[in-house]
Amino acid sequence: MENNQSELEYELKRLEDTIALAKKQLSYEKQRNEINKAAIISAKKELRENTSHTISGLWSSDGFEALAELSQYANPITEKIVDYEEVENKIALLEKLIQSPYFARIDFKFEGEDMFEKIYIGRSSLMKDNSYEMCVYDWRSPIASVFYRFVTGQAFYDAPAGRITGEVSLKRQYEIKKGILEYYFDADVQIVDEFLRKLLSQNNSSKMKTIVETIQKEQDIVIRDMENDLMMVQGVAGSGKTSIALHRAAYLMYQGLSTKLSANNIIVISPNTLFEQYISNVIPELGEDNVISMVFEDMLAAIIQNRRIQSRNQFLESLITSSGYRSTIKNSIEFKTSHQFMEILNLFIYDIPYKWIEFEDIYYDGQFIVSKEILKEKIIGRKEVPLGVKLKHLEDFIVDLIYELKKIRINNLAKKEILKFTELDIIELYQKLLRDKEYFYTLAKDFEIPEDMEDILVYTQENLNSNLLFYDDATVLAYIYLKIYGVNEYKNIKQVVIDEAQDYYYLHYVIFSLLFENSKFTILGDINQTLGKKEDMTIYDQIRKILSKKKSSLATMDKSFRCTNEILTYSSKFAQQCMEIKSFNRKGDEPGIYARDSQSSLNDLIMTEIKYCKDKGYQSIALICKTEKNSLSLFTSLKDRIDVQIMKDDSTTELQGVFIIPVYMSKGLEFDAVLICDADNTNYHSEDDKNLLYIASTRALHRLNLFCMGEASSLL
């Protein structure tokens, strides 16, 4: 008892000293930035007073000296602003650190040493003043990996200088909130599991949380992997894939202190904008600036400009709800994003200068300049140069010829005539490929094509003539564009993180390989959560071949930390791939199936369930429907009875309170309670629908129930 008291006194004193040190450094940094702010204001004033020149005159030949003078005053301002922003980041980190300086401690004795050193681990590091002695180690530091990977006894970690071996005599975890030590415990595996169970049993917030306190050994290995150019993770629902991806991004930036990797060198490709918002706070909480985050259709829109593009959510809604066209929609995207169609496109792209560009003799002001044969010959040569680049060079060649002969600059009217064959309309070219059926089938003669190819061609022509460019055609057009013009964007990206990997097709990964040719990849997926197609473990072999990286690895996460035992057992019946899913052994209520004969009585039952969940203190209660159409119908029925939000394709509302959401938008998210509200046999009856039920049911942390009008789905 006396020993326990002395330990508590030590820990309280240690916490007090740590917070005092952080407060001292915070005060210093705030004073430093007050000086910076004053210096910036003073420098701006000096700039205004000493540079009287107008901006419009700076770029003339007479304005060169004025421009140099302006630069002389502007550069110090820029430097001071950069310094100010760096200090502001330090201030933000220190303010967070004061609230909770660390969450763990290991006592580690280095090999050859006599004494154990107390290593405290937090979200960010804290160094003692005027020394290199660490008061708190960042969770991403090499020595911190010992906490995640070893129990007491012999241990090691890999540092830049090589492998460091030693012994762990103590593992301790802390709960510190608002600078107050609430409790601590000395951790063995059993206690850590109990601590994690306690954290998982707490009601969810509207944002994804960091998991630094509870990272498991297999998760830590993936997060810290620096060996592989391609790191793939197949993880069951609730295994922490997304958290691992974001913690890995934060870890890579920490390592980037030595490899010059920063936030603008990493891109996270998210399944939708709602998911982007959900994950938005994780990396900043881990002590880093937010990385670049995009959804795939935004990347398509950046390539194919001036056309509105169907989002993936809109595509899925169309696929799920279109009864007559469903097989055509499904077969269309499967074929257009296949390896076979890519090869057909490659033949078509090769043919463009031979068959689809109408070269003309060039005249200017009545004088012959150059023949169409010479122009065509210049384009057909140099196979290694992208066609778009060659056409740009050809344009420059014509303009230079005219200048040499006429000694005048080309006028705009003549420039437009040249652009008729040096600028390509990608959509028009694609339409020509599909309209000329004899030509199309000639290109496709050596490849397997769908039986309903004629239906796909008609369906595609209708789509291309509409105001909305469909998701599958946008993918094809992006590929054609990249093959013709090459890649200029994303040159600075060194690390790419792709979530929901199973929902991308062959051609998507080819586009990723073109856009991020020199990047490393972290790719995470779950084959049981595939939408719109069938998928199995061979997808990871396919990804490995397409991206063609020197070193790659596939990790499998088979333990779910999200759901209770009962929810996980119930959800497993919908998993189509034979894969063992291990539970974290957290108990809860059995899911129930509730049917009513009328919509009004079903709505009453749903209202009763919502009230129960609110009384339990659940912060996020999701009413999941199969489609947006069903979601809108339910919203209309309930909106006058309860404060409820509806999630649509462009929603960015926080996931707090009661809301209605289509199942395909719920991917990657988690909620305290889930009500599947349209679980009848009409909505859920096919093999594809089993995947939807698996996704919907595995969103629930604590409570899951299913509701339907009439006959319940035979899949339940």
Side-chain angles (χ1 to χ4, degrees):
M1 182 69 185
E2 192 175 318
N3 187 48
N4 288 344
Q5 184 62 31
S6 64
E7 275 293 296
L8 176 60
E9 288 172 358
Y10 173 83
E11 291 293 2
L12 289 171
K13 182 68 168 64
R14 179 60 159 73
L15 178 60
E16 181 185 333
D17 291 346
T18 303
I19 291 174
L21 174 62
K23 284 182 174 179
K24 181 183 175 186
Q25 293 186 8
L26 177 63
S27 176
Y28 170 77
E29 297 298 346
K30 283 184 173 180
Q31 288 175 15
R32 185 176 157 199
N33 249 12
E34 285 300 315
I35 295 169
N36 278 339
K37 191 188 294 184
I40 292 168
I41 292 169
S42 174
K44 283 183 175 180
K45 184 180 178 184
E46 188 177 358
L47 175 64
R48 286 194 301 271
E49 291 174 351
N50 294 320
T51 56
S52 57
H53 310 280
T54 62
I55 295 296
S56 58
L58 288 175
W59 301 100
S60 66
S61 56
D62 294 336
F64 180 78
E65 288 184 9
L67 184 63
E69 182 187 350
L70 180 66
S71 176
Q72 175 187 340
Y73 288 103
N75 287 341
I77 296 175
T78 304
E79 290 168 7
K80 287 181 175 67
I81 290 172
V82 169
D83 189 38
Y84 179 86
E85 289 173 348
E86 286 179 359
V87 175
E88 279 296 296
N89 289 335
K90 287 182 184 177
I91 289 170
L93 284 176
L94 286 165
E95 286 175 340
K96 288 178 183 176
L97 192 142
I98 287 166
Q99 297 296 309
S100 182
Y102 43 81
F103 57 83
R105 163 187 157 189
I106 55 172
D107 288 3
F108 188 79
K109 183 171 70 172
F110 293 88
E111 188 174 330
E113 299 288 332
D114 297 325
M115 302 286 290
F116 282 90
E117 185 177 331
K118 296 177 177 64
I119 309 291
Y120 284 81
I121 301 166
R123 281 181 170 81
S124 57
S125 60
L126 180 67
M127 191 177 290
K128 292 184 179 177
D129 294 330
N130 303 318
S131 77
Y132 291 102
E133 187 179 349
M134 297 298 294
C135 181
V136 179
Y137 285 83
D138 191 293
W139 68 275
R140 296 164 292 183
S141 61
I143 196 169
S145 67
V146 173
F147 169 72
Y148 298 115
R149 299 192 190 183
F150 293 96
V151 294
T152 53
Q154 295 300 307
F156 65 84
Y157 65 92
D158 292 316
R163 178 157 289 185
I164 308 296
T165 58
E167 181 186 350
V168 176
S169 65
L170 177 77
K171 281 183 68 175
R172 181 168 287 176
Q173 282 189 257
Y174 306 86
E175 184 71 11
I176 301 171
K177 290 182 179 177
K178 296 182 179 178
I180 297 171
L181 177 61
E182 297 196 350
Y183 60 85
Y184 70 86
F185 58 87
D186 293 344
D188 57 28
V189 174
Q190 185 177 356
I191 294 174
V192 171
D193 283 0
E194 194 58 46
F195 176 64
L196 182 51
R197 260 192 291 278
K198 180 185 175 186
L199 289 182
L200 293 171
S201 67
Q202 294 171 359
N203 293 343
N204 188 30
S205 71
S206 62
K207 293 281 190 180
M208 174 173 278
K209 299 172 183 174
T210 60
I211 59 167
V212 286
E213 298 96 329
T214 56
I215 291 171
Q216 305 295 289
K217 180 179 179 179
E218 62 271 21
Q219 295 173 333
D220 188 69
I221 290 170
V222 173
I223 289 168
R224 293 174 188 267
D225 179 88
M226 295 292 286
E227 295 295 315
N228 291 289
D229 304 312
L230 169 60
M231 186 74 211
M232 297 177 289
V233 178
Q234 159 59 35
V236 300
S239 58
K241 296 183 298 295
T242 301
S243 288
I244 292 167
L246 299 175
H247 284 67
R248 177 162 168 74
Y251 177 76
L252 292 170
M253 278 188 278
Y254 178 84
Q255 294 298 313
L257 294 173
S258 58
T259 59
K260 296 182 180 178
L261 184 73
S262 60
N264 65 352
N265 300 134
I266 301 177
I267 188 168
V268 177
I269 301 174
S270 302
N272 55 55
T273 51
L274 188 63
F275 182 83
E276 275 190 293
Q277 181 180 330
Y278 180 63
I279 66 174
S280 62
N281 71 321
V282 174
I283 294 179
E285 278 193 12
L286 295 171
E288 296 292 350
D289 295 332
N290 223 344
V291 300
I292 303 165
S293 180
M294 294 185 76
V295 294
F296 183 66
E297 51 263 34
D298 286 345
M299 299 175 72
L300 294 179
I303 299 168
I304 311 159
Q305 297 178 3
N306 305 318
R307 283 297 291 266
R308 196 163 60 90
I309 293 175
Q310 181 189 43
S311 70
R312 175 162 176 79
N313 285 341
Q314 290 171 325
F315 162 73
L316 290 169
E317 179 74 15
S318 174
L319 178 63
I320 292 168
T321 57
S322 301
S323 54
Y325 254 148
R326 183 170 183 173
S327 64
T328 304
I329 295 172
K330 191 173 182 180
N331 293 343
S332 175
I333 191 166
E334 285 184 352
F335 176 63
K336 288 176 190 170
T337 56
S338 67
H339 178 263
Q340 290 95 323
F341 192 57
M342 184 191 75
E343 292 298 341
I344 293 169
L345 291 174
N346 289 342
L347 293 173
F348 169 63
I349 292 165
Y350 176 83
D351 275 353
I352 288 173
Y354 294 93
K355 182 176 175 65
W356 300 107
I357 298 178
E358 296 180 6
F359 292 98
E360 297 176 2
D361 294 339
I362 298 296
Y363 291 84
Y364 188 79
D365 199 19
Q367 182 178 349
F368 175 77
I369 303 297
V370 64
S371 71
K372 60 185 177 183
E373 288 80 14
I374 289 175
L375 297 179
K376 187 172 184 177
E377 187 179 321
K378 280 189 167 292
I379 293 300
I380 290 171
R382 298 172 67 201
K383 299 285 191 297
E384 74 284 356
V385 180
L387 174 60
V389 175
K390 288 191 285 188
L391 288 171
K392 178 59 182 167
H393 290 166
L394 186 67
E395 183 184 316
D396 294 338
F397 168 72
I398 296 168
V399 170
D400 289 345
L401 274 181
I402 291 171
Y403 183 75
E404 284 176 20
L405 291 169
K406 308 291 288 184
K407 301 302 179 189
I408 55 172
R409 296 293 177 194
I410 188 169
N411 62 45
N412 289 335
L413 185 63
K415 186 78 175 280
K416 287 180 182 177
E417 288 296 312
I418 296 170
L419 291 178
K420 282 182 181 177
F421 57 85
T422 60
E423 276 196 359
L424 302 177
D425 186 325
I426 302 296
I427 296 177
E428 186 182 330
L429 280 169
Y430 182 43
Q431 286 177 312
K432 287 178 178 179
L433 165 66
L434 302 178
R435 279 198 204 111
D436 192 333
K437 292 184 181 178
E438 183 181 351
Y439 173 69
F440 175 81
Y441 285 116
T442 300
L443 293 184
K445 68 181 188 321
D446 295 328
F447 303 101
E448 186 178 339
I449 60 175
E451 292 181 3
D452 60 345
M453 191 68 238
E454 286 293 320
D455 293 336
I456 292 173
L457 291 173
V458 171
Y459 165 77
T460 305
Q461 287 291 357
E462 291 174 358
N463 293 345
L464 292 173
N465 291 326
S466 71
N467 293 324
L468 183 68
L469 195 57
F470 277 33
Y471 183 68
D472 53 353
D473 290 315
T475 302
V476 172
L477 289 164
Y479 175 75
I480 296 172
Y481 185 95
L482 292 173
K483 292 295 285 186
I484 289 176
Y485 289 103
V487 183
N488 293 317
E489 298 291 328
Y490 312 115
K491 293 289 188 185
N492 64 315
I493 299 296
K494 298 177 182 177
Q495 291 280 352
V496 182
V497 179
I498 301 175
D499 208 354
E500 303 294 347
Q502 73 283 348
D503 285 339
Y504 295 102
Y505 294 76
Y506 183 94
L507 195 62
H508 291 138
Y509 283 103
V510 174
I511 289 172
F512 289 141
S513 72
L514 292 171
L515 289 174
F516 309 110
E517 183 180 6
N518 299 315
S519 302
K520 296 183 178 183
F521 286 82
T522 302
I523 293 180
L524 309 100
D526 179 11
I527 54 176
N528 278 312
Q529 295 187 61
T530 308
L531 290 178
K533 59 177 176 137
K534 289 282 185 288
E535 205 54 86
D536 56 32
M537 290 295 288
T538 59
I539 186 176
Y540 298 107
D541 294 327
Q542 186 181 85
I543 292 168
R544 186 181 277 117
K545 287 176 184 174
I546 295 169
L547 297 182
S548 187
K549 297 299 175 183
K550 287 182 181 178
K551 293 191 72 175
S552 64
S553 177
L554 172 62
T556 302
M557 305 285 183
D558 58 1
K559 183 181 283 189
S560 176
F561 297 96
R562 177 184 296 144
C563 307
T564 62
N565 287 359
E566 291 76 10
I567 292 173
L568 191 64
T569 301
Y570 185 82
S571 304
S572 297
K573 72 166 80 173
F574 306 123
Q576 299 199 47
Q577 301 294 330
C578 295
M579 185 178 296
E580 183 186 2
I581 303 176
K582 297 175 182 175
S583 166
F584 194 66
N585 197 26
R586 186 166 62 87
K587 297 194 179 301
D589 296 329
E590 290 282 350
I593 304 167
Y594 303 94
R596 290 294 183 269
D597 293 331
S598 69
Q599 188 63 53
S600 61
S601 60
L602 182 64
N603 291 344
D604 290 341
L605 192 61
I606 290 171
M607 289 294 298
T608 302
E609 174 67 9
I610 292 170
K611 183 179 184 307
Y612 177 86
C613 293
K614 287 180 128 184
D615 290 344
K616 292 277 286 184
Y618 294 149
Q619 295 182 42
S620 57
I621 304 167
L623 281 56
I624 297 182
C625 297
K626 183 179 180 180
T627 64
E628 185 178 298
K629 183 179 177 182
N630 289 5
S631 299
L632 284 166
S633 177
L634 182 63
F635 177 70
T636 303
S637 300
L638 299 182
K639 65 183 175 66
D640 295 330
R641 301 179 63 179
I642 190 173
D643 183 12
V644 61
Q645 305 167 72
I646 184 164
M647 299 292 141
K648 293 191 276 189
D649 186 53
D650 56 352
S651 293
T652 55
T653 312
E654 286 201 6
L655 303 177
Q656 191 96 17
V658 182
F659 46 89
I660 302 170
I661 184 169
V663 62
Y664 53 79
M665 282 188 67
S666 71
K667 293 187 69 173
L669 310 179
E670 57 185 32
F671 317 103
D672 289 330
V674 166
L675 290 68
I676 301 176
C677 295
D678 55 356
D680 58 76
N681 211 40
T682 303
N683 281 307
Y684 299 95
H685 55 271
S686 69
E687 288 297 299
D688 287 347
D689 292 333
K690 286 181 76 173
N691 279 26
L692 294 175
L693 287 169
Y694 177 76
I695 292 164
S697 56
T698 53
R699 300 307 95 200
L701 281 147
H702 312 304
R703 187 171 174 85
L704 169 69
N705 284 298
L706 299 90
F707 302 83
C708 65
M709 188 177 72
E711 184 183 356
S713 168
S714 57
L715 300 175
L716 303 184

